[in-house]
Amino acid sequence: MNDFIQLDFPSLLLGTLAALSCGLLGNFLLLRGQALMGDTISHVVLPGIVGGFLLAGSVAALPMMLGALFASLFSVSLIELIKRAGRIEAGAAMGAVFTTMFALGVVLLEQSGARGVHLDVEHALYGNLESALWLEAESFQDLLSFSKLFSLPEDIWVLFFITLLVILFIVVFYKPLMITSFDAAHADSLGISSKWMGLGLVFMTALSAVAAFSAVGSILVIAMFICPPATARMLTDKLSTQLWISGFIAVLSGISGYFLAAFGPFWFGGQDSVSAAGMIALMAGFLQVLAMLFAPRYGVLSRLFFKNRFHNQ
Amino acid sequence: MSALSKQSLIDETGFISSKVAFDVSGLTVAYDRKPVLWDVSFQAHSGRITAIVGPNGAGKSTFLKASLGLVPAVTGQTFILGEALKEARKNIAYMPQRASVDWDFPASALDVVMMGLYGRMGFLRWPSQHHREQALSCLDQVDMADFAERQIGQLSGGQQQRVFMARALAQEAEVYLMDEPFAGVDAATENVIFKTLKALTAEGKTVIVVHHDLDTVRKMFDDVLLINRQVIANGPIDDVMSDEALRRTYSGRLGFHKAGEPVGGAAVQAHV
């Protein structure tokens, strides 16, 4: 059991929190037709993270976080600029910016390798959930002890506070987020600025992309942004309910994905565990497929069923 | 023209109480340095319903948006009941075209109408039972109370348009700006929306409607703004909507022409 609390619990927490903070924000990205924005930001933060790391010379969270925020705001402005100056559509502008920025990140990353600190390409791409350890813990009772909890890895604390911040952001700005997502022109006519709400959403997306980065890497994070809200959308027609369901789905993917990755192979007689971040993303995708098939109203099967019944009558 | 229109206003309503509620002056809008609207000035009067009429691409929707500051203007000012736009947001209800939003959005008809209340509600306040009842009564005014809980994507086009109308009603504004509320709706919806707008003008509100159907303009509206990038005419319909004015609105001479067609010479003929 000690193994679990020392080795598995911190990774489980990290993966689940990453899924939760990204999954909640993803609802609004999806509703605004900006799913690609999550993808964009999760990629463009890479040069920012590496830049922050190179400047600070260590893997401290703050400089990397600041670098990532700078990189994402810079990229968002760049996308706007390219849209106007280059006269191309938003998707193409995003694609141009995020691949270029990501390439810059990869190039910078090679430079960082020379310094001998662990920030390698593979972890940047796929994350490194398993490296989260809580060696100070001895038993489950430590979960109730503040002094012990403070010894949890920094990554987890950062992600924890950002998840809280995301929830706070959604609760406080629920109405303006909803109205600007549904009808931006109407919101603007009421004096509720769709531009500022959009920027706020991008800012929060950048925050959680950066925080989730160390856990799941910059590629798999996109699954966290899209799958839970897309699954939830199949199951309800009410925004507040959709937010609750997406949160639940995100947590479910995080927990089930981690357990399957860590212990699944042994149940089937295998030797090694598989990538937890990968398995979490797989579970998120799997749950979405389930919802697409079996959702009561929008599922493929129920639509077929009702269509047939309709025809038979 | 201005003196003429004021004269007939007095004749029609019998008193001079009808005041300028919506006042746009010198509005110029350009996309990519091509002017879309050129020096448009326009006044709408309280208690009256005005149609904005012009061919496709004349800048009708852009005029509404730019006058409300929703798209950037090169020059121009808007006053609502004598107040600058910024101070007057609460007195405006703007209804965009139905096609401008994604109706798959996870919201019920009631949710959408509640959004009309957000402008007055304040940031942190959660909608109360009182707000719900207010929104329900707005839905009731457009005969949509039975559909309050229905997801908006499952409504017909006409029903969706009525939900938009109810949302505008919920704003309890002084000036209503509607972008094509009658486009592609069924007869029953057209009737309901028209009655609702008429009821608003009877309360002294100002209603401005982008309208595409020339045949119904005379029947439904008091005043008209004929526009094709520039103002062709503005005033009571009987005074300004002559065949000559319509021809000028729908002909190519004032800058509007389709690609490939020569300007001026073979002008697009008005369908009048």
Side-chain angles (χ1 to χ4, degrees), chain A residues 39-121:
Chain A
D39 203 1
T40 303
I41 285 178
S42 63
H43 281 81
V44 302
V45 295
L46 185 67
I49 287 173
V50 183
F53 164 77
L54 286 174
L55 285 179
S58 73
V59 280
L62 192 66
M64 285 162 69
M65 188 75 76
L66 288 176
L69 280 180
F70 174 78
S72 42
L73 294 181
F74 173 74
S75 302
V76 170
S77 335
L78 201 61
I79 288 167
E80 277 303 309
L81 193 76
I82 291 179
K83 254 188 341 197
R84 286 182 197 166
R87 296 196 188 182
I88 53 176
E89 45 121 2
M94 282 186 196
V97 169
F98 89 68
T99 45
T100 310
M101 289 288 282
F102 190 70
L104 176 67
V106 171
V107 172
L108 282 175
L109 205 53
E110 305 244 290
Q111 297 299 306
S112 80
R115 305 216 176 175
V117 190
H118 74 286
L119 187 73
D120 59 63
V121 178

Side-chain angles (χ1 to χ4, degrees), chain A residues 11-46:
Chain A
S11 307
L12 182 63
L13 202 57
L14 201 57
T16 306
L17 285 173
L20 183 60
S21 67
C22 296
L24 287 175
L25 286 172
N27 285 288
F28 294 101
L29 294 176
L30 243 61
L31 289 175
R32 289 164 170 253
Q34 286 186 336
L36 195 58
M37 190 55 108
D39 203 1
T40 303
I41 285 178
S42 63
H43 281 81
V44 302
V45 295
L46 185 67

